[in-house]
Amino acid sequence: MTTSFRAGLLTLAAATSFLSALPAAAQEASSKLDEVLARGHLVLGTGSTNAPWHFKSADDKLQGFDVDMGRIVAKALFGDPDKIEYVNQSSDARIPNITTDKVDLTCQFMTVTGERAQQIAFTIPYYREGVGLMLKADGKYADYEAMKAAGSSVTVSVLQNVYAEDMVHAALPEATVDQYESVDLIYQALESGRADAAATDQSSLAWYMTQNPDRYKDAGYGWNPQTYACGVKRGDQDWLNFVNTALHEAMTGVEFDFYAKSFKTWFGKDLAPPQIGFPVEYK
């Protein structure tokens, strides 16, 4: 037996001995999927103060579109959408709570960015956000094209921030921009006639119009798109694949009715059923 062959055998034996001494969990790492199934409920991170995404009902029950995305995942896991433990978190806790395993999943109107994707893994998108313009149903302008043609005669109310004026002017270059400190105030400006349109997230417009039927209308133009997705911890492909599958089948497959009902509830819009035949994803 050569010296090199004998050394190889000793190295193999040492490696085998080391592996046998490790706990089974260390030798065969389990996925978050297995952990959640064994626990019997999903731990979902979300907020509680932003309708229609995540907010409390009159009877103190957490509800909203983000909450329903978590319920879709819980239903896929356990056949029961209510098997969820909620972690009420601020926006700046969304990523830390994922990376430190305080939550299994975060669904909290989180915009997908390259910077965030270096810290967590994003699921497939469940909503595409953008800015829109809300008009009074009986206001002087019929739609976006009428406002654009009116030029500097148009006044738009918007939530105060450093980018507000540039954001509005991307859609209406000549409009007068009035900035307010709260969303309620931008709607009040529209209602009182101080503004011809209110510019804010299209989801917020849809929710506000749902709560006030026949009083307001969408101007029919959206811009400044951003993608909302849930987040999970990096490095666990099985768990990411499972959550993606649950969301995908809610938007395109067997759980579509669940997703469509939620969309109607929070945004007031009926979704067309997924087309049968060739998968829509490849069109």
Side-chain angles (χ1 to χ4, degrees):
M1 182 182 294
T2 66
T3 301
S4 61
F5 183 69
R6 185 182 301 109
L9 287 177
L10 290 172
T11 300
L12 178 62
T16 303
S17 175
F18 174 75
L19 287 173
S20 63
L22 287 175
Q27 294 184 46
E28 188 176 326
S30 62
S31 167
K32 173 70 74 172
L33 175 58
D34 304 306
E35 177 188 330
V36 174
L37 287 170
R39 185 197 304 133
H41 67 269
L42 175 71
V43 179
L44 176 70
T46 193
S48 62
T49 58
N50 294 280
W53 296 96
H54 39 262
F55 66 110
K56 295 290 187 69
S57 64
D59 58 356
D60 204 40
K61 182 179 179 181
L62 197 60
Q63 60 182 353
F65 198 64
D66 282 333
V67 174
D68 285 345
M69 296 307 100
R71 297 179 75 238
I72 285 167
V73 176
K75 188 177 182 185
L77 285 162
F78 307 109
D80 183 347
D82 295 320
K83 286 199 170 183
I84 299 178
E85 174 190 341
Y86 294 103
V87 173
N88 185 8
Q89 58 190 19
S90 60
S91 293
D92 59 5
R94 291 176 298 188
I95 289 177
N97 282 355
I98 294 170
T99 59
T100 58
D101 288 313
K102 289 182 180 177
V103 301
D104 304 320
L105 175 71
T106 280
C107 299
Q108 194 173 349
F109 62 8
M110 186 159 49
T111 301
V112 176
T113 68
E115 181 182 5
R116 287 173 173 170
Q118 297 172 40
Q119 303 173 71
I120 62 171
F122 281 107
T123 66
I124 60 173
Y126 62 87
Y127 189 83
R128 177 121 317 118
E129 186 63 279
V131 179
L133 295 162
M134 187 169 72
L135 310 175
K136 289 185 71 174
D138 59 355
K140 86 168 83 164
Y141 299 109
D143 54 22
Y144 167 74
E145 293 298 335
M147 286 192 294
K148 190 172 182 180
S152 59
S153 299
V154 174
T155 298
V156 177
S157 60
V158 65
L159 188 65
Q160 187 176 49
N161 68 72
V162 68
Y163 306 110
E165 192 152 340
D166 289 342
M167 181 188 73
V168 173
H169 283 160
L172 295 169
E174 300 176 56
T176 298
V177 180
D178 285 348
Q179 300 188 41
Y180 294 88
E181 293 180 353
S182 74
V183 172
D184 287 344
L185 291 176
I186 73 172
Y187 295 146
Q188 287 176 24
L190 175 62
E191 183 63 32
S192 68
R194 297 193 307 274
D196 301 302
T200 189
D201 292 343
Q202 290 207 329
S203 61
S204 297
L205 298 186
W207 167 249
Y208 197 76
M209 289 187 293
T210 299
Q211 301 306 298
N212 300 276
D214 303 322
R215 289 181 62 185
Y216 303 99
K217 61 184 177 182
D218 190 327
Y221 181 76
W223 74 103
N224 208 28
Q226 52 187 293
T227 298
Y228 288 169
C230 299
V232 299
K233 194 172 184 179
R234 287 179 52 192
D236 190 340
Q237 194 63 47
D238 279 354
W239 179 232
L240 179 60
N241 287 348
F242 180 85
V243 177
N244 279 342
T245 298
L247 293 176
H248 181 272
E249 294 313 302
M251 291 182 280
T252 66
V254 294
E255 295 296 337
F256 176 75
D257 287 348
F258 191 113
Y259 181 89
K261 181 180 179 182
S262 177
F263 204 96
K264 174 71 172 180
T265 298
W266 308 120
F267 306 126
K269 297 178 181 177
D270 292 305
L271 296 177
Q275 190 172 356
I276 305 303
F278 190 78
V280 67
E281 299 86 341
Y282 304 109
K283 288 187 177 180

